[in-house]
Amino acid sequence: MWSLKGILCAIVLLSAITLTAQTVLSSDNRDIVVTGDRVMRGMFDDGYSILVSKPQVDYSALRENLIDSSNDKVGQRIQAWYEEGSAAGNVGDCYENRDGGHSKLPLHRFQQFANITYDSSLKKQKANFGVKVNIANDRPSIINASLAMMEKPASRSMARLILHNAEFSSQLYSFYRLSDFIFYPEHKDYDQADCFAVNTPYLIISQGSSGSDRPFMFAVAQTLASFHPAVKERLHQRGLLAPTVQMIMRWNYQGIGNADNYLTGNAHPTAFDGKKLDRSGMANMAHAMTSDCLPPLAMIQMVSEQSSVSGVDNFDAGASEHLLDTPCAIGRIARDLAETRTFQVSAEESFDVHGRPLTFHWRVLRGDTSKITITPLNDAGSRAEISIRYQPNVTAPDQPDLRTHRVDIGVFVDNGFYYSAPAFISIYYPPNEERVYDEHGTLQSVRYLSPLDMPGEADMLLIYNKPWTDDYHYENGQLTGWTRTMHDGESSEFDASGQLFESGWFSDSTPNPATYTTSRTSVGLQTVQFE
């Protein structure tokens, strides 16, 4: 169970600190070199740990630098706030480029940022390139990699690469709470179709390809500079800086501007369009915040959900439905063939740093509301039961023509002054399945298509090739079995428990347990076999 309430009180550094010389930054040298002897393991209070880079750095010489050397009006306003002492600026903030300088935050413009680099031994391990994993930064950091995997059929953005990898995606929560702002372009993963199986507040995914992340880096840099010094540091120390900036960005996106709009899917797309971003509004909202009134944090946990029996309820050879289980994002792949999924979620770990009472909001952000029921389970509304009927083709509120196969439920809390960033519950329906249910929700048949016929939409890392169609049989309303017809015409019979009747001249009528295995082709296609 996650119970993190703040970074200061919740992380214990386990590794001994090696005494090394302090890095003193200057206008001529703003480089901070990450070295192995300054990377320590931090542990959250629930036992989850992450490596944290903690170099000894003196940032003070950067205070005389301009926040923004351009003629940008928002930057000039922030500079005036900074000179009067009401804005923090970017001293103590860091920038980490992970694409070899392909798309950079221009440090000649943002002159108070330090620049993170890696020593030669870590560079040999590619610690400085591609998806941000394993090592978090201890100061607020803008981190980007304007890259993509281009080789088909497994091509994908850096964002989809990390979000669809359960081994590493759970680290995103730690980066989020440690004020690491991570930016990736969606690069063809959000053009004709939304190829993402989960939505989270952990990343800022930009609509477009190389360079589309730059408007968002500029906006976040200016927002960080706009906070009052005490507000910014308290948000950072309590693990609320990135969640607060996420809320501010979404509030000031495409004219959202109020609570009614903020609690809709229009404010919470998977990828954001830089042309719809209001940098001025973001800076103003950050500057108006006071240290005695900070936004709360919505935190969620799956309490109960139905189990899926491999070989009966799904045929993915034991693959898990769990894609993501973190305190601000839960993701499930709907492998189970039941028409309705019902589960219970708690938001009781949500908190306000000042202990103000919270109001809970559960909203359908994406999906057919007529097929979704959200039932509060207590008077506070901090727990809910959610039922979702099968809906493989979903409309994205911000882009109605975008093909998508994911339902998003958003959980928000407000303290009477501010709303939290969203916590997401995402259900992804495999797009290569053609399921047919009767009017009572009883499964009649499933035809499985090859993921290769649906590039991008049916991610081969998540979705399996099953070259058959199953037709289900019932007697007096009870399942008796199903007939499986392979795409080459061969058929097999199964009983209700998933056991396989052998065929042939010398076989008897006694069914035997069916075994499901997978094989992977040279291009990564995972195909299920049974015997």
Side-chain angles (χ1 to χ4, degrees):
M1 177 176 177
W2 294 83
S3 56
L4 178 59
K5 292 294 191 291
I7 296 302
L8 279 180
C9 64
I11 291 184
V12 179
L13 292 176
L14 300 182
S15 301
I17 295 178
T18 303
L19 295 178
T20 55
Q22 186 180 51
T23 298
V24 179
L25 302 183
S26 67
S27 296
D28 297 327
N29 180 19
R30 289 186 277 158
D31 288 348
I32 297 173
V33 181
V34 178
T35 59
D37 62 354
R38 296 299 306 181
V39 173
M40 290 152 278
R41 184 164 295 280
M43 181 170 288
F44 288 80
D45 62 359
D46 66 347
Y48 183 81
S49 64
I50 185 92
L51 293 175
V52 184
S53 172
K54 292 186 67 68
Q56 293 182 313
V57 181
D58 181 354
Y59 298 90
S60 59
L62 304 184
R63 293 189 182 123
E64 302 304 316
N65 289 7
L66 291 173
I67 293 172
D68 186 338
S69 66
S70 73
N71 294 321
D72 180 73
K73 291 182 179 180
V74 177
Q76 291 175 345
R77 188 191 321 148
I78 299 169
Q79 185 70 38
W81 292 337
Y82 178 73
E83 291 174 0
E84 72 183 19
S86 67
N90 293 120
V91 176
D93 296 341
C94 300
Y95 172 60
E96 179 180 343
N97 178 266
R98 301 184 60 83
D99 58 24
H102 177 57
S103 175
K104 295 184 67 175
L105 180 74
L107 296 184
H108 63 274
R109 172 179 170 179
F110 295 95
Q111 296 182 359
Q112 292 186 344
F113 271 86
N115 182 51
I116 290 179
T117 64
Y118 288 75
D119 69 12
S120 58
S121 64
L122 291 173
K123 285 181 178 178
K124 288 179 180 178
Q125 301 174 47
K126 301 293 185 181
N128 64 321
F129 193 81
V131 170
K132 175 72 171 177
V133 292
N134 296 332
I135 302 176
N137 301 326
D138 74 326
R139 292 298 305 166
S141 299
I142 287 178
I143 303 160
N144 79 302
S146 198
L147 301 168
M149 293 178 61
M150 304 299 292
E151 187 174 351
K152 295 182 179 181
S155 58
R156 64 197 55 234
S157 65
M158 295 292 99
R160 184 151 65 103
L161 178 64
I162 184 67
L163 288 172
H164 289 193
N165 188 323
E167 181 181 357
F168 294 106
S169 58
S170 60
Q171 294 182 9
L172 294 174
Y173 170 74
S174 299
F175 292 132
Y176 182 60
R177 296 299 304 279
L178 288 166
S179 309
D180 284 356
F181 298 85
I182 304 175
F183 303 78
Y184 300 122
E186 52 82 18
H187 186 68
K188 299 185 179 180
D189 280 347
Y190 200 75
D191 294 344
Q192 285 74 43
D194 183 347
C195 301
F196 294 91
V198 64
N199 202 353
T200 82
Y202 302 146
L203 304 174
I204 295 177
I205 305 173
S206 56
Q207 177 89 56
S209 298
S210 296
S212 64
D213 48 355
R214 286 164 60 89
F216 294 91
M217 291 193 287
F218 295 174
V220 170
Q222 292 180 328
T223 303
L224 291 173
S226 299
F227 287 110
H228 187 279
V231 170
K232 182 178 180 181
E233 192 59 26
R234 185 157 197 210
L235 287 170
H236 174 56
Q237 295 297 337
R238 296 308 302 264
L240 294 173
L241 187 56
T244 296
V245 172
Q246 279 277 1
M247 180 274 291
I248 290 173
M249 182 188 73
R250 294 160 188 268
W251 194 276
N252 290 279
Y253 183 68
Q254 61 179 359
I256 297 300
N258 60 57
D260 288 342
N261 293 334
Y262 182 72
L263 298 178
T264 70
N266 289 324
H268 311 287
T270 318
F272 294 83
D273 185 342
K275 297 188 294 293
K276 299 178 180 180
L277 200 59
D278 181 0
R279 289 187 294 113
S280 179
M282 291 176 66
N284 289 338
M285 193 171 185
H287 190 247
M289 202 167 286
T290 60
S291 58
D292 61 348
C293 185
L294 303 176
L297 183 67
M299 299 178 71
I300 57 176
Q301 182 183 27
M302 186 69 75
V303 176
S304 66
E305 58 187 318
Q306 65 201 57
S307 59
S308 185
V309 179
S310 180
V312 178
D313 302 322
N314 75 81
F315 304 101
D316 286 350
S320 176
E321 290 194 311
H322 293 213
L323 182 59
L324 193 61
D325 278 290
T326 58
C328 301
I330 294 170
R332 296 290 184 267
I333 304 168
R335 304 186 192 280
D336 191 281
L337 296 172
E339 187 201 34
T340 301
R341 299 180 66 89
T342 299
F343 49 92
Q344 295 184 6
V345 177
S346 169
E348 291 165 307
E349 291 294 319
S350 304
F351 69 92
D352 174 86
V353 292
H354 299 289
R356 290 187 175 93
L358 297 175
T359 302
F360 295 80
H361 308 270
W362 304 74
R363 293 290 189 273
V364 178
L365 301 179
R366 179 184 292 191
D368 184 345
T369 56
S370 69
K371 296 181 178 181
I372 302 171
T373 302
I374 302 175
T375 306
L377 296 177
N378 56 17
D379 292 339
S382 60
R383 293 170 68 105
E385 181 174 271
I386 302 171
S387 292
I388 303 175
R389 289 171 55 203
Y390 179 65
Q391 42 188 297
N393 299 302
V394 180
T395 298
D398 59 315
Q399 296 188 44
D401 295 332
L402 193 72
R403 298 193 304 275
T404 177
H405 309 280
R406 193 186 73 236
V407 171
D408 284 342
I409 307 296
V411 184
F412 306 82
V413 294
D414 82 79
N415 59 13
F417 297 93
Y418 290 105
Y419 283 79
S420 68
F424 290 99
I425 305 157
S426 297
I427 307 297
Y428 174 70
Y429 289 94
N432 65 324
E433 297 179 356
E434 295 180 350
R435 305 184 192 179
V436 177
Y437 300 91
D438 68 12
E439 66 274 16
H440 305 294
T442 303
L443 183 64
Q444 301 299 301
S445 66
V446 185
R447 179 172 180 255
Y448 299 96
L449 306 176
S450 171
L452 292 177
D453 295 332
M454 310 183 72
E457 293 181 63
D459 191 328
M460 293 193 304
L461 294 182
L462 305 179
I463 304 304
Y464 292 81
N465 179 41
K466 298 183 283 285
W468 64 72
T469 297
D470 286 335
D471 293 291
Y472 290 80
H473 312 303
Y474 299 87
E475 186 174 317
N476 299 322
Q478 297 297 315
L479 178 67
T480 58
W482 58 89
T483 300
R484 175 164 297 163
T485 305
M486 306 302 291
H487 292 173
D488 63 7
E490 183 179 344
S491 65
S492 303
E493 298 293 331
F494 294 79
D495 69 9
S497 65
Q499 296 193 99
L500 173 64
F501 290 93
E502 291 187 11
S503 60
W505 289 103
F506 301 103
S507 62
D508 57 30
S509 59
T510 303
N512 294 300
T515 301
Y516 291 84
T517 58
T518 61
S519 62
R520 187 186 297 267
T521 67
S522 59
V523 298
L525 180 66
Q526 301 178 92
T527 297
V528 178
Q529 299 95 23
F530 65 93
E531 58 181 13

